[in-house]
Amino acid sequence: MKINNFLTIILIFLFYLSSPAKDANTITIIPKPNEMKIGKGNFVLNPSTKIIYSQGLDKHADFLRDYIKFSHNFNLLITDKITETNKNFIYLNVKDLNSDSEEYELDIQPSKIMISSESPKGVFYGIQTLRQLIHSGKKIQCLKIVDKPRFVYRGMHLDVSRHFMPKEFVKKYIDFLAMYKMNTFHWHLVDDQGWRLEIKKYPKLTEVGAWRVDRGDKTWREREPQKPGEVPTYGGFYTQEEVKDIVKYAADRYITIIPEIEMPGHCLAALTAYPEYSCTGGPFTVPPGTYWPPLEAFCAGNDKTFEFLEDILTETMELFPSKYIHIGGDEVVKTRWKECPKCQERMKKENLKDENELQSYFVKRIEKFLVSKGRKLIGWDEILEGGLAPEATVMSWRGTIGGIEAAKAGHDVIMTPTSYCYFDYYQGNLELEPIAIGGYLPLTKVYQFEPIPEELSNEEAKHILGAQGNVWAEFIPTTTHAEYMVFPRIAAMAEVVWTNKNLKDLKDFMSRLAHHTKLLDDLKINYAKSMYDVKITSILDTIKKQVKVEMSTEALNPDIRYTLDGTEPTKKSPKYKEPFILKKSAKIHAINFYDKNKKSKESTTEIVLHKGIASIVTNINYDKKRYIAKGLYNIVDGVRGSLNQNDGKWQGVQGNDFFATIDLGEVKNIKKVSIGFLQNYHFSIFLPRDLEVLTSLDGKEFKSVGKVQNTIPIDEKKIFVKDLSCDINDKARFIQIKASNIGVNPDTHPDKGFKSWLMFDEIIIE
Ligand code: ACM
Ligand code: ZN
């Protein structure tokens, strides 16, 4: 051997020795464990590896064997006999079969893997961690994990009323939760559009309340109510036997099911079956789609209503052993109560000063009943209105305010604010996503959720038990679609509730998720790929009056190819490397590739370079709380708003007119002024009645140079952007815009009388 070669070998050997053991980042467990030390070497799984379990963990051993069978097709031997000579085994060890601890230890050594915990539950969580490690390969990095969750309540919700989901899927959903060490399934079993739980004493609840006419050919908000003579055919329900089976299935996976029986509102399916418990007596039909505002409520003045509900709750409690029973309580419209003699009589008798206090009376009465049966009431944050029931736990969904108020008053709280926890919201660019209820909640935003509000002291913060992702199903007609909305956001939520705040790191999470998708693929989960889609944004240089184009994806390491001429990018199109200056107006198209294949859908954005780019905007009327977008320059940055009012490009004003003055910095020849307006009928966003443009040379004296009327009917329900323009041909430095809001929604609108939004983006000056 030549001396050179010898040296090279020595050098390589030294390099190998000095390189750190496998970096923690390549261990791709979700949720991230709270303590982990990487060891030396690997455990190598093979068909002779044994699973040894301590007494009482036979089911745990079965789970692990099944996971390994799925990942590697090994049929491992299971035994409860440990011998000193054993090597090549996975040992499941529990100290106390009655313990409820959630902590576990996972110790991976070259010769064995040990999962140990105080409790069977802890061992189950250790198995979930190991399962993810094993799925990445047979060679498993030696390490030691000591892990326990940050929050005691780690939940996911599923609405099976708006669209019925078969029991097989409910079990699959429970498996999803288990994979991420979640411990609570909030089952939204009843609502206006369907009653899904068999109640023996009131069979019509499911004979009638579980069925509605099939309007599956229309989207939720377009569906007409049942017509006379039509037969309801869409729906389904769970028999009590099925529920027992599901509850057991969940318990085997250390998941508690909290059933939700909605009251006093969101109960039209129940009232269709038993109209005698309404204020008016009915008759009603089960709505096949939107029912807004949800007017009908249980009559709070009728004692028989309470008997009915207590009977239902009694059967519910027989099926569900959970400490908590969720009674809904959200969005009760009090119109019926205001008009009902019985409800008004109740208010007088109980000395209740308004209908909010009547609602509070209702909830307190139900709480008393639940408490007498040894249970605890949980309800949406509206139950705070009119006074909170003494022992109630609050689920804070309208932001965190309700949760803060409840925690300060010493009540327990589950955080589910819409802005971070509503998985029925869009998770990507609206134009690329299947129709959803609205909103915008991308994966990375879920990850950034902090369940403990800053407003709380350490002592008050103890009342925040945890958080939950909510899956409302108005726009989720199928189980595969439910998977799409849930994944991968559930993974982010799992880490929010499990992993300590100081260990959370978005980039690290995205990097682990990139590997974790292999498991999702192998499990054939229809997870959303929105994280791969390209977001096209702009950076405005207000000095040079230039627009830079920036492209990004939520997923790490994209290979973005783009075009500026409106054609579809291919792998051969220019690769996006860094923000670039746009020299002329463009229809930008971008796709993220992986090897030769498209990894994303095609994103498009139009940027119009015009004379007003980066001008100073003054004297503007817009809503500073909601659609502030990126500040005032947003309407003169060249980037057109999309069809999504929440895309960060739109600004809006509610109820009032829009006006603004643009200072071009110098006198310019102006040919035309156009403004884009959005119409989204269902979100109360309407085009203006008219647009007026005024010009000035000095910013003091303005003259009107054009006025146009909107000619599109106010009740046009399609979502669209419309440019209103004025031809001008004038010299001006200052341009003033006035657009008149229609003011309030028209009488035919579900939210009639509500102050309408006027949404505007890009004032294009040519
Ligand atoms: C809710 O989203 N209405 C609780
Ligand atoms: Zn009434």
Side-chain angles (χ1 to χ4, degrees):
M1 183 184 286
K2 281 191 190 161
I3 193 84
N4 274 359
N5 284 355
F6 182 69
L7 267 177
T8 310
I9 287 168
I10 293 279
L11 278 173
I12 289 172
F13 182 68
L14 284 176
F15 177 77
Y16 178 78
L17 278 187
S18 66
S19 66
K22 205 169 182 181
D23 182 70
N25 283 342
T26 60
I27 309 289
T28 60
I29 305 156
I30 296 177
K32 185 177 188 160
N34 281 307
E35 240 186 274
M36 179 164 77
K37 278 204 192 83
I38 305 294
K40 284 215 174 89
N42 303 288
F43 177 91
V44 182
L45 190 75
N46 62 42
S48 326
T49 306
K50 283 197 190 80
I51 299 172
I52 305 172
Y53 62 91
S54 67
Q55 202 208 347
L57 295 183
D58 43 332
K59 270 202 206 114
H60 292 65
D62 287 346
F63 276 124
L64 182 58
R65 182 196 50 202
D66 292 349
Y67 296 144
I68 293 171
K69 166 99 178 126
F70 176 76
S71 294
H72 300 292
N73 206 20
F74 297 159
N75 264 318
L76 298 195
L77 189 82
I78 297 180
T79 171
D80 58 357
K81 312 260 177 323
I82 186 160
T83 61
E84 289 302 318
T85 54
N86 269 342
K87 262 191 179 167
N88 186 21
F89 65 96
I90 304 171
Y91 185 49
L92 310 178
N93 186 24
V94 66
K95 290 209 180 74
D96 176 1
L97 287 173
N98 296 315
S99 164
D100 201 29
S101 163
E102 297 200 294
E103 183 168 347
Y104 70 91
E105 262 186 49
L106 169 64
D107 188 359
I108 301 177
Q109 300 174 17
S111 59
K112 61 184 176 185
I113 295 177
M114 310 274 282
I115 295 177
S116 32
S117 171
E118 269 304 304
S119 71
K121 189 178 193 178
V123 174
F124 183 78
Y125 290 156
I127 289 170
Q128 296 310 316
T129 298
L130 181 60
R131 169 206 193 171
Q132 291 190 20
L133 290 171
I134 282 176
H135 199 78
S136 313
K138 285 175 270 198
K139 225 167 126 181
I140 307 158
Q141 172 70 44
C142 286
L143 50 72
K144 186 164 179 186
I145 287 172
V146 181
D147 200 11
K148 63 175 184 212
R150 178 176 175 204
F151 290 104
V152 296
Y153 186 109
R154 305 181 300 281
M156 283 295 293
H157 151 286
L158 183 67
D159 167 13
V160 294
S161 168
R162 271 54 177 268
H163 286 100
F164 178 66
M165 314 252 174
K167 71 170 195 303
E168 294 74 21
F169 179 72
V170 176
K171 286 185 174 177
K172 208 171 163 192
Y173 196 74
I174 287 164
D175 285 334
F176 298 158
L177 272 65
M179 176 161 74
Y180 294 118
K181 308 184 185 85
M182 290 193 161
N183 62 6
T184 312
F185 169 39
H186 171 177
W187 202 1
H188 188 77
L189 281 160
V190 306
D191 211 301
D192 296 311
Q193 288 87 353
W195 184 283
R196 309 286 175 220
L197 176 63
E198 180 190 27
I199 299 292
K200 304 260 193 216
K201 191 159 182 186
Y202 301 104
K204 281 191 288 179
L205 282 171
T206 44
E207 285 166 11
V208 174
W211 304 95
R212 64 188 195 225
V213 288
D214 191 350
R215 298 270 192 268
D217 55 333
K218 296 246 167 55
T219 64
W220 190 254
R221 294 191 182 98
E222 298 164 332
R223 295 179 184 175
E224 289 181 352
Q226 182 177 328
K227 292 187 199 130
E230 276 191 299
V231 181
T233 54
Y234 176 90
F237 64 92
Y238 310 98
T239 66
Q240 294 202 349
E241 284 313 303
E242 287 170 336
V243 169
K244 283 181 205 160
D245 179 43
I246 291 170
V247 168
K248 163 98 178 44
Y249 188 88
D252 285 346
R253 288 151 183 80
Y254 299 94
I255 289 168
T256 301
I257 304 185
I258 298 181
E260 180 178 354
I261 304 294
E262 274 267 23
M263 60 186 82
H266 281 298
C267 58
L268 192 48
L271 291 180
T272 304
Y274 295 95
E276 57 268 43
Y277 304 116
S278 71
C279 288
T280 63
F284 308 108
T285 54
V286 181
T290 199
Y291 170 56
W292 194 264
L295 273 181
E296 298 304 327
F298 289 118
C299 179
N302 182 355
D303 282 329
K304 291 247 166 7
T305 302
F306 291 93
E307 270 174 43
F308 172 68
L309 291 172
E310 286 171 9
D311 288 344
I312 289 170
L313 288 171
T314 299
E315 287 194 35
T316 304
M317 286 185 284
E318 280 161 13
L319 296 169
F320 295 94
S322 63
K323 175 175 73 175
Y324 289 115
I325 302 292
H326 201 306
I327 58 87
D330 58 321
E331 299 176 318
V332 184
V333 181
K334 279 97 179 181
T335 313
R336 292 288 180 260
W337 288 356
K338 283 191 179 121
E339 294 161 355
C340 171
K342 282 191 199 145
C343 285
Q344 292 302 311
E345 182 60 30
R346 170 87 69 201
M347 284 167 61
K348 234 185 263 156
K349 214 169 103 200
E350 299 288 338
N351 211 9
L352 308 171
K353 78 170 189 300
D354 59 18
E355 285 73 19
N356 280 343
E357 290 195 0
L358 182 58
Q359 171 174 308
S360 172
Y361 164 87
F362 198 114
V363 175
K364 283 175 181 160
R365 186 161 162 176
I366 294 293
E367 175 177 69
K368 215 174 203 172
F369 175 74
L370 291 177
V371 168
S372 78
K373 306 290 176 198
R375 305 299 180 99
K376 278 175 80 78
L377 178 145
I378 187 163
W380 299 109
D381 58 55
E382 286 93 333
I383 66 171
L384 283 152
E385 293 161 3
L388 196 51
E391 294 172 51
T393 297
V394 171
M395 206 166 250
S396 190
W397 73 280
R398 297 174 303 171
T400 54
I401 295 171
I404 292 167
E405 184 186 331
K408 281 186 186 289
H411 289 256
D412 285 344
V413 171
I414 315 299
M415 282 298 184
T416 65
T418 54
S419 48
Y420 290 96
C421 300
Y422 270 44
F423 291 6
D424 54 340
Y425 282 13
Y426 284 99
Q427 55 194 312
N429 184 342
L430 178 145
E431 287 160 71
L432 303 179
E433 292 291 323
I435 185 169
I437 198 161
Y440 179 56
L441 178 57
L443 171 70
T444 46
K445 185 162 182 199
V446 177
Y447 192 79
Q448 283 152 352
F449 181 43
E450 169 47 42
I452 297 186
E454 283 173 359
E455 290 88 339
L456 297 183
S457 69
N458 286 344
E459 211 39 49
E460 290 160 348
K462 288 182 186 153
H463 287 294
I464 308 296
L465 303 183
Q468 166 177 296
N470 287 347
V471 185
W472 299 101
E474 287 93 334
F475 288 82
I476 306 182
T478 64
T479 56
T480 46
H481 196 103
E483 290 181 9
Y484 181 90
M485 300 308 277
V486 166
F487 286 90
R489 290 185 285 192
I490 185 175
M493 183 55 76
E495 197 143 316
V496 165
V497 288
W498 182 277
T499 306
N500 292 339
K501 197 175 160 183
N502 62 338
L503 289 179
K504 275 178 68 199
D505 175 338
L506 178 61
K507 209 167 155 194
D508 171 51
F509 170 72
M510 292 306 295
S511 150
R512 279 177 285 125
L513 185 63
H515 295 275
H516 180 73
T517 51
K518 178 172 186 321
L519 178 56
L520 305 186
D521 282 327
D522 292 346
L523 287 168
K524 299 195 167 37
I525 293 170
N526 180 37
Y527 63 93
K529 315 286 189 303
S530 318
M531 59 185 166
Y532 303 115
D533 289 340
V534 182
K535 192 169 174 186
I536 306 171
T537 49
S538 68
I539 307 165
L540 193 62
D541 184 332
T542 55
I543 310 291
K544 293 187 187 147
K545 306 219 182 283
Q546 283 175 334
V547 178
K548 267 188 179 173
V549 177
E550 189 169 35
M551 300 183 191
S552 61
T553 60
E554 289 192 289
L556 303 178
N557 310 318
D559 177 7
I560 301 172
R561 306 289 167 150
Y562 69 93
T563 61
L564 299 177
D565 58 3
T567 58
E568 184 179 319
T570 67
K571 178 74 184 175
K572 295 205 174 93
S573 303
K575 183 179 168 81
Y576 172 81
K577 296 203 181 79
E578 58 188 6
F580 58 89
I581 295 166
L582 194 68
K583 304 242 171 57
K584 57 180 194 198
S585 299
K587 288 200 165 99
I588 305 168
H589 288 228
I591 296 179
N592 178 11
F593 282 82
Y594 179 77
D595 292 334
K596 286 198 181 63
N597 302 318
K598 287 180 202 165
K599 185 86 176 170
S600 74
K601 300 180 214 93
E602 183 179 15
S603 296
T604 60
T605 290
E606 188 181 353
I607 299 188
V608 188
L609 299 183
H610 57 84
K611 288 179 180 161
I613 291 281
S615 296
I616 308 267
V617 182
T618 57
N619 184 32
I620 180 172
N621 187 24
Y622 68 100
D623 189 273
K624 293 188 183 55
K625 284 202 211 74
R626 296 241 347 235
Y627 299 103
I628 52 169
K630 286 182 293 180
L632 283 181
Y633 282 114
N634 193 69
I635 51 174
V636 285
D637 66 351
V639 184
R640 304 299 312 263
S642 71
L643 295 179
N644 182 353
Q645 70 271 22
N646 295 308
D647 66 2
K649 296 169 187 163
W650 290 99
Q651 292 192 333
V653 55
Q654 193 180 13
N656 295 317
D657 295 341
F658 160 55
F659 50 81
T661 303
I662 316 292
D663 177 358
L664 301 175
E666 60 186 356
V667 174
K668 291 183 182 176
N669 273 326
I670 311 296
K671 289 201 193 72
K672 189 175 175 185
V673 174
S674 315
I675 307 182
F677 293 97
L678 180 67
Q679 174 132 337
N680 186 332
Y681 179 88
H682 292 295
F683 281 86
S684 304
I685 300 166
F686 293 92
L687 299 187
R689 221 178 264 132
D690 53 35
L691 167 72
E692 185 180 10
V693 177
L694 303 92
T695 58
S696 167
L697 292 166
D698 59 5
K700 290 183 188 110
E701 293 205 8
F702 282 86
K703 62 173 193 256
S704 179
V705 291
K707 193 161 182 173
V708 281
Q709 305 286 327
N710 167 41
T711 53
I712 294 176
I714 195 167
D715 59 353
E716 172 56 62
K717 297 189 180 71
K718 214 172 67 204
I719 302 171
F720 63 98
V721 176
K722 166 81 181 159
D723 288 354
L724 293 183
S725 314
C726 290
D727 290 318
I728 290 173
N729 278 322
D730 192 14
K731 281 189 191 311
R733 173 174 163 184
F734 297 90
I735 294 171
Q736 202 172 74
I737 313 288
K738 291 180 182 172
S740 55
N741 194 324
I742 63 160
V744 293
N745 292 355
D747 282 350
T748 49
H749 195 280
D751 288 321
K752 73 172 178 189
F754 180 83
K755 283 186 190 166
S756 310
W757 284 95
L758 178 57
M759 308 223 51
F760 43 96
D761 179 53
E762 205 57 16
I763 301 184
I764 300 168
I765 300 171
E766 294 169 74

Short mmCIF file of all heavy atoms in Angstrom, two decimals, residues 50-80:
data_model
loop_
_atom_site.label_atom_id
_atom_site.label_comp_id
_atom_site.label_asym_id
_atom_site.label_seq_id
_atom_site.Cartn_x
_atom_site.Cartn_y
_atom_site.Cartn_z
N LYS A 50 -37.80 -10.19 18.88
CA LYS A 50 -38.96 -10.60 19.68
C LYS A 50 -39.57 -9.39 20.37
O LYS A 50 -38.86 -8.46 20.73
CB LYS A 50 -38.53 -11.59 20.77
CG LYS A 50 -38.27 -12.98 20.28
CD LYS A 50 -38.27 -13.91 21.50
CE LYS A 50 -37.78 -15.29 21.15
NZ LYS A 50 -36.34 -15.42 21.08
N ILE A 51 -40.86 -9.45 20.55
CA ILE A 51 -41.52 -8.45 21.39
C ILE A 51 -41.84 -9.11 22.72
O ILE A 51 -42.58 -10.10 22.76
CB ILE A 51 -42.81 -7.92 20.73
CG1 ILE A 51 -42.49 -7.25 19.38
CG2 ILE A 51 -43.52 -6.94 21.67
CD1 ILE A 51 -43.72 -6.87 18.58
N ILE A 52 -41.23 -8.58 23.78
CA ILE A 52 -41.47 -9.14 25.11
C ILE A 52 -42.25 -8.11 25.91
O ILE A 52 -41.90 -6.92 25.88
CB ILE A 52 -40.14 -9.45 25.81
CG1 ILE A 52 -39.29 -10.38 24.91
CG2 ILE A 52 -40.37 -10.09 27.18
CD1 ILE A 52 -37.88 -10.59 25.42
N TYR A 53 -43.28 -8.58 26.59
CA TYR A 53 -44.09 -7.59 27.32
C TYR A 53 -44.29 -8.01 28.76
O TYR A 53 -44.33 -9.20 29.08
CB TYR A 53 -45.44 -7.38 26.62
CG TYR A 53 -46.31 -8.62 26.56
CD1 TYR A 53 -47.22 -8.89 27.58
CD2 TYR A 53 -46.22 -9.50 25.49
CE1 TYR A 53 -48.03 -10.02 27.52
CE2 TYR A 53 -47.02 -10.64 25.43
CZ TYR A 53 -47.92 -10.89 26.44
OH TYR A 53 -48.70 -12.00 26.40
N SER A 54 -44.40 -7.00 29.60
CA SER A 54 -44.70 -7.31 30.99
C SER A 54 -46.21 -7.47 31.13
O SER A 54 -46.98 -7.02 30.27
CB SER A 54 -44.14 -6.25 31.93
OG SER A 54 -44.79 -5.02 31.74
N GLN A 55 -46.60 -8.07 32.25
CA GLN A 55 -47.99 -8.49 32.45
C GLN A 55 -48.99 -7.36 32.20
O GLN A 55 -48.79 -6.23 32.66
CB GLN A 55 -48.12 -8.98 33.89
CG GLN A 55 -49.30 -9.88 34.08
CD GLN A 55 -49.81 -9.81 35.52
OE1 GLN A 55 -49.14 -9.28 36.39
NE2 GLN A 55 -50.99 -10.34 35.73
N GLY A 56 -50.02 -7.66 31.47
CA GLY A 56 -51.08 -6.67 31.22
C GLY A 56 -50.89 -5.89 29.93
O GLY A 56 -51.73 -5.09 29.55
N LEU A 57 -49.77 -6.13 29.25
CA LEU A 57 -49.50 -5.34 28.03
C LEU A 57 -49.63 -6.18 26.76
O LEU A 57 -49.03 -5.86 25.74
CB LEU A 57 -48.10 -4.72 28.10
CG LEU A 57 -47.88 -3.67 29.20
CD1 LEU A 57 -46.47 -3.09 29.10
CD2 LEU A 57 -48.91 -2.55 29.12
N ASP A 58 -50.42 -7.24 26.83
CA ASP A 58 -50.52 -8.10 25.64
C ASP A 58 -51.09 -7.34 24.44
O ASP A 58 -50.64 -7.50 23.31
CB ASP A 58 -51.30 -9.38 25.94
CG ASP A 58 -52.54 -9.13 26.77
OD1 ASP A 58 -52.54 -8.15 27.55
OD2 ASP A 58 -53.52 -9.88 26.64
N LYS A 59 -52.07 -6.46 24.72
CA LYS A 59 -52.65 -5.69 23.59
C LYS A 59 -51.62 -4.73 23.01
O LYS A 59 -51.58 -4.50 21.80
CB LYS A 59 -53.85 -4.89 24.08
CG LYS A 59 -55.15 -5.64 23.97
CD LYS A 59 -56.32 -4.66 23.93
CE LYS A 59 -57.56 -5.32 24.44
NZ LYS A 59 -58.06 -4.75 25.68
N HIS A 60 -50.80 -4.17 23.90
CA HIS A 60 -49.75 -3.26 23.43
C HIS A 60 -48.80 -4.00 22.49
O HIS A 60 -48.42 -3.48 21.44
CB HIS A 60 -48.96 -2.71 24.62
CG HIS A 60 -49.75 -1.78 25.49
ND1 HIS A 60 -50.84 -2.18 26.21
CD2 HIS A 60 -49.61 -0.46 25.74
CE1 HIS A 60 -51.32 -1.15 26.87
NE2 HIS A 60 -50.61 -0.08 26.60
N ALA A 61 -48.46 -5.21 22.89
CA ALA A 61 -47.56 -6.01 22.06
C ALA A 61 -48.21 -6.28 20.69
O ALA A 61 -47.54 -6.22 19.66
CB ALA A 61 -47.23 -7.32 22.77
N ASP A 62 -49.51 -6.52 20.71
CA ASP A 62 -50.22 -6.74 19.43
C ASP A 62 -50.14 -5.50 18.53
O ASP A 62 -49.91 -5.59 17.34
CB ASP A 62 -51.70 -7.05 19.68
CG ASP A 62 -51.90 -8.45 20.25
OD1 ASP A 62 -50.93 -9.25 20.21
OD2 ASP A 62 -53.00 -8.74 20.75
N PHE A 63 -50.38 -4.34 19.17
CA PHE A 63 -50.29 -3.10 18.38
C PHE A 63 -48.93 -2.98 17.71
O PHE A 63 -48.82 -2.74 16.51
CB PHE A 63 -50.49 -1.86 19.28
CG PHE A 63 -51.93 -1.50 19.51
CD1 PHE A 63 -52.43 -1.40 20.80
CD2 PHE A 63 -52.77 -1.22 18.44
CE1 PHE A 63 -53.76 -1.05 21.03
CE2 PHE A 63 -54.10 -0.86 18.66
CZ PHE A 63 -54.60 -0.78 19.96
N LEU A 64 -47.88 -3.18 18.53
CA LEU A 64 -46.53 -3.00 18.00
C LEU A 64 -46.25 -4.02 16.88
O LEU A 64 -45.70 -3.67 15.84
CB LEU A 64 -45.51 -3.13 19.14
CG LEU A 64 -44.06 -2.93 18.73
CD1 LEU A 64 -43.84 -1.56 18.08
CD2 LEU A 64 -43.12 -3.08 19.93
N ARG A 65 -46.65 -5.27 17.14
CA ARG A 65 -46.44 -6.29 16.10
C ARG A 65 -47.14 -5.88 14.80
O ARG A 65 -46.58 -5.98 13.72
CB ARG A 65 -46.97 -7.64 16.58
CG ARG A 65 -46.73 -8.75 15.54
CD ARG A 65 -47.56 -9.97 15.82
NE ARG A 65 -48.96 -9.58 16.02
CZ ARG A 65 -49.85 -10.31 16.68
NH1 ARG A 65 -49.50 -11.47 17.18
NH2 ARG A 65 -51.09 -9.89 16.83
N ASP A 66 -48.37 -5.37 14.92
CA ASP A 66 -49.12 -4.98 13.72
C ASP A 66 -48.45 -3.81 12.99
O ASP A 66 -48.41 -3.79 11.77
CB ASP A 66 -50.56 -4.60 14.09
CG ASP A 66 -51.35 -5.82 14.57
OD1 ASP A 66 -50.85 -6.96 14.41
OD2 ASP A 66 -52.47 -5.63 15.10
N TYR A 67 -47.94 -2.86 13.76
CA TYR A 67 -47.24 -1.72 13.11
C TYR A 67 -46.01 -2.22 12.35
O TYR A 67 -45.73 -1.76 11.23
CB TYR A 67 -46.81 -0.69 14.15
CG TYR A 67 -47.94 0.01 14.90
CD1 TYR A 67 -47.81 0.35 16.24
CD2 TYR A 67 -49.14 0.35 14.25
CE1 TYR A 67 -48.82 1.00 16.94
CE2 TYR A 67 -50.16 0.99 14.95
CZ TYR A 67 -50.00 1.30 16.29
OH TYR A 67 -51.00 1.94 16.97
N ILE A 68 -45.29 -3.14 12.99
CA ILE A 68 -44.06 -3.64 12.33
C ILE A 68 -44.41 -4.50 11.12
O ILE A 68 -43.76 -4.44 10.09
CB ILE A 68 -43.18 -4.41 13.36
CG1 ILE A 68 -42.65 -3.40 14.40
CG2 ILE A 68 -42.03 -5.12 12.66
CD1 ILE A 68 -41.94 -4.04 15.57
N LYS A 69 -45.46 -5.25 11.25
CA LYS A 69 -45.93 -6.06 10.12
C LYS A 69 -46.27 -5.13 8.94
O LYS A 69 -45.92 -5.40 7.79
CB LYS A 69 -47.17 -6.87 10.56
CG LYS A 69 -47.96 -7.48 9.44
CD LYS A 69 -47.61 -8.94 9.27
CE LYS A 69 -48.45 -9.57 8.18
NZ LYS A 69 -47.74 -10.22 7.15
N PHE A 70 -46.90 -4.03 9.28
CA PHE A 70 -47.27 -3.07 8.24
C PHE A 70 -46.03 -2.44 7.60
O PHE A 70 -45.95 -2.32 6.38
CB PHE A 70 -48.17 -1.98 8.85
CG PHE A 70 -48.52 -0.88 7.87
CD1 PHE A 70 -49.47 -1.09 6.89
CD2 PHE A 70 -47.89 0.35 7.95
CE1 PHE A 70 -49.78 -0.08 5.97
CE2 PHE A 70 -48.20 1.36 7.04
CZ PHE A 70 -49.14 1.14 6.06
N SER A 71 -45.06 -2.06 8.43
CA SER A 71 -43.89 -1.36 7.91
C SER A 71 -42.93 -2.29 7.17
O SER A 71 -42.37 -1.91 6.15
CB SER A 71 -43.12 -0.69 9.05
OG SER A 71 -43.89 0.33 9.62
N HIS A 72 -42.69 -3.49 7.73
CA HIS A 72 -41.62 -4.34 7.19
C HIS A 72 -42.07 -5.75 6.81
O HIS A 72 -41.26 -6.56 6.38
CB HIS A 72 -40.47 -4.43 8.20
CG HIS A 72 -39.88 -3.10 8.52
ND1 HIS A 72 -39.17 -2.38 7.60
CD2 HIS A 72 -39.95 -2.33 9.63
CE1 HIS A 72 -38.79 -1.22 8.14
NE2 HIS A 72 -39.26 -1.16 9.37
N ASN A 73 -43.33 -6.02 7.04
CA ASN A 73 -43.86 -7.34 6.75
C ASN A 73 -43.15 -8.45 7.53
O ASN A 73 -42.99 -9.57 7.04
CB ASN A 73 -43.83 -7.61 5.23
CG ASN A 73 -44.89 -8.62 4.83
OD1 ASN A 73 -45.86 -8.82 5.58
ND2 ASN A 73 -44.72 -9.27 3.70
N PHE A 74 -42.69 -8.13 8.74
CA PHE A 74 -42.16 -9.16 9.65
C PHE A 74 -43.28 -9.57 10.59
O PHE A 74 -43.96 -8.70 11.12
CB PHE A 74 -41.02 -8.62 10.53
CG PHE A 74 -39.80 -8.17 9.78
CD1 PHE A 74 -38.93 -7.28 10.39
CD2 PHE A 74 -39.52 -8.62 8.50
CE1 PHE A 74 -37.79 -6.85 9.73
CE2 PHE A 74 -38.39 -8.18 7.83
CZ PHE A 74 -37.51 -7.30 8.45
N ASN A 75 -43.39 -10.86 10.82
CA ASN A 75 -44.35 -11.34 11.82
C ASN A 75 -43.60 -11.63 13.10
O ASN A 75 -43.16 -12.75 13.32
CB ASN A 75 -45.01 -12.63 11.33
CG ASN A 75 -46.33 -12.33 10.66
OD1 ASN A 75 -47.10 -11.50 11.15
ND2 ASN A 75 -46.57 -13.00 9.55
N LEU A 76 -43.42 -10.64 13.95
CA LEU A 76 -42.56 -10.85 15.11
C LEU A 76 -43.25 -11.70 16.17
O LEU A 76 -44.47 -11.64 16.34
CB LEU A 76 -42.15 -9.51 15.72
CG LEU A 76 -41.34 -8.58 14.82
CD1 LEU A 76 -40.69 -7.49 15.66
CD2 LEU A 76 -40.30 -9.31 13.99
N LEU A 77 -42.42 -12.47 16.83
CA LEU A 77 -42.91 -13.31 17.93
C LEU A 77 -43.17 -12.44 19.15
O LEU A 77 -42.37 -11.56 19.49
CB LEU A 77 -41.84 -14.37 18.25
CG LEU A 77 -42.30 -15.43 19.23
CD1 LEU A 77 -43.10 -16.50 18.49
CD2 LEU A 77 -41.10 -16.04 19.93
N ILE A 78 -44.29 -12.70 19.80
CA ILE A 78 -44.63 -11.98 21.02
C ILE A 78 -44.54 -12.93 22.19
O ILE A 78 -45.06 -14.05 22.11
CB ILE A 78 -46.07 -11.44 20.94
CG1 ILE A 78 -46.19 -10.45 19.80
CG2 ILE A 78 -46.49 -10.80 22.23
CD1 ILE A 78 -47.59 -9.88 19.67
N THR A 79 -43.96 -12.50 23.27
CA THR A 79 -43.88 -13.37 24.43
C THR A 79 -43.84 -12.54 25.72
O THR A 79 -43.42 -11.39 25.70
CB THR A 79 -42.63 -14.29 24.37
OG1 THR A 79 -42.52 -14.96 25.61
CG2 THR A 79 -41.37 -13.51 24.10
N ASP A 80 -44.26 -13.15 26.83
CA ASP A 80 -44.12 -12.44 28.10
C ASP A 80 -42.99 -13.06 28.92
O ASP A 80 -42.85 -12.80 30.11
CB ASP A 80 -45.44 -12.43 28.88
CG ASP A 80 -45.96 -13.83 29.17
OD1 ASP A 80 -45.31 -14.81 28.71
OD2 ASP A 80 -47.00 -13.93 29.83
#
